[in-house]
Amino acid sequence: MSRPGFHLAIPVDDLAAARAFYGGVLGLTEGRSADAWVDWNFHGHQVVTHVVPGHRATAPGDGHDAGHNPVDGHSVPVPHFGLIMAVPAFHALADRLRAAGTEFVIEPYQRFAGEPGEQWTMFFRDPAGNALEFKAFRDETQVFAK
């Protein structure tokens, strides 16, 4: 089944730091770029980091986060974006993030254990403070389970 791809543009304050994180830590392939932006192949989707001088989204109430929501006993940052991946790839990424010294907003853990939609999830921020969530469902047919 072919899925449509998404395009997401996010603000960063330092393009070199974005390159080191998205290209180096996350291992994404760089596409087109200019002095103020870089396209990233986000597992077949297009994420673009655009330089916005002074942008920082690192704390609730700083004007960039809309806030947080409680989910399964954790405070989830809003907004955030990420990817649903296979369980082995999720754990490999978690190991790569730990090795790179990434600070987790929410450490990798199993959410909704034994319930519909059981999944592994983790939250972290890029160098500009943008929140990302990567997750892996025990059963991908449960992505929209109630």
Side-chain angles (χ1 to χ4, degrees), residues 66-78 80 106 109 111-112 121 123 133:
H68 289 74
N69 268 335
V71 179
D72 194 39
H74 291 86
S75 184
V76 171
V78 178
H80 65 264
I106 299 174
Y109 83 103
R111 178 192 284 170
F112 308 132
T121 187
F123 286 81
E133 177 187 18

Side-chain angles (χ1 to χ4, degrees), residues 34-123:
D35 291 342
W37 55 270
V38 176
D39 284 345
W40 298 101
N41 180 347
F42 194 71
H43 299 269
H45 304 283
Q46 185 185 49
V47 169
V48 185
T49 49
H50 284 273
V51 174
V52 176
H55 170 76
R56 217 64 179 145
T58 56
D62 70 358
H64 299 290
D65 274 357
H68 289 74
N69 268 335
V71 179
D72 194 39
H74 291 86
S75 184
V76 171
V78 178
H80 65 264
F81 72 98
L83 194 67
I84 298 170
M85 50 197 338
V87 173
F90 172 91
H91 290 295
L93 176 60
D95 290 345
R96 192 164 62 240
L97 290 165
R98 285 186 187 104
T102 302
E103 182 178 331
F104 290 95
V105 174
I106 299 174
E107 291 278 340
Y109 83 103
Q110 191 174 30
R111 178 192 284 170
F112 308 132
E115 298 177 30
E118 179 180 314
Q119 63 193 260
W120 286 91
T121 187
M122 62 180 148
F123 286 81

Side-chain angles (χ1 to χ4, degrees), residues 1-17:
M1 176 177 157
S2 177
R3 295 182 182 174
F6 72 82
H7 165 83
L8 176 67
I10 58 170
V12 299
D13 60 345
D14 181 333
L15 208 52

